Every structure is written in structure tokens, then in C-alpha cells.
């Protein structure tokens, strides 16, 4: 399922349940920096994945593979 993003007291019962079962993350109401960082993680992973795919299929990489195939 999708992770829970809990905004509230990080020491309460609800926060404990979320942490115990690994259902998401808990943040204090005023912890905007940590909330922002948490929300950016999937986007950063997607960007990294796209960059890796671009490298894998770059002209330089593909030319190297062709060279290896044709090498006698």
C-alpha cells in the first residue's frame, strides 16, 4: 500500500502504531524541512533512474557495445 504521512505528535499512540508496523512516517506539525525531504525522496529516485537509463542508451555506450560485438 501507500505510506502514511502522519502530521502530529511523534510520541503519541497513532505515531507509535505507524512506526511499529512500518506503515509510513511521522512528523511534528512544524517540521516542514523533514516533511519536504521525505516527499522529495520518490522524485529524486525517479530522476536518478531516468538518468541511469539515459546513460545506458547513450551513443557512447551503444557504440562501445557494437565495438565489442564486432571486435575480432
Amino acid at each position: 500500500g501507500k505510506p502514511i504521512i502522519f502530521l502530529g505528535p511523534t510520541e503519541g499512540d497513532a505515531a507509535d502504531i505507524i512506526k511499529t508496523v512500518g506503515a509510513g512516517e511521522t512528523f511534528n506539525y512544524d517540521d516542514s524541512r523533514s516533511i519536504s525531504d521525505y516527499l522529495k525522496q520518490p522524485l529524486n529516485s525517479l530522476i536518478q533512474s531516468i538518468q541511469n537509463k539515459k546513460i545506458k542508451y547513450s551513443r557512447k555506450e551503444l557504440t562501445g557495445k557494437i565495438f565489442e560485438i564486432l571486435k575480432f
Side-chain angles (χ1 to χ4, degrees):
K2 298 187 191 286
I4 296 169
I5 300 173
F6 176 78
L7 304 177
T10 57
E11 301 300 320
D13 292 337
D16 287 342
I17 292 169
I18 291 169
K19 289 176 193 174
T20 301
V21 299
E25 289 291 328
T26 62
F27 302 97
N28 281 318
Y29 294 112
D30 59 352
D31 193 3
S32 59
R33 181 56 146 176
S34 294
I35 296 166
S36 175
D37 290 344
Y38 179 76
L39 293 173
K40 289 177 184 176
Q41 287 174 358
L43 179 60
N44 290 336
S45 295
L46 177 62
I47 290 170
Q48 184 64 39
S49 174
I50 290 170
Q51 289 173 341
N52 289 341
K53 288 178 184 174
K54 282 183 179 179
I55 292 170
K56 182 177 178 182
Y57 296 105
S58 70
R59 286 183 181 164
K60 182 178 179 180
E61 197 67 28
L62 293 174
T63 302
K65 288 180 181 180
I66 291 171
F67 176 77
E68 287 300 316
I69 292 169
L70 297 177
K71 196 163 79 173
F72 298 102

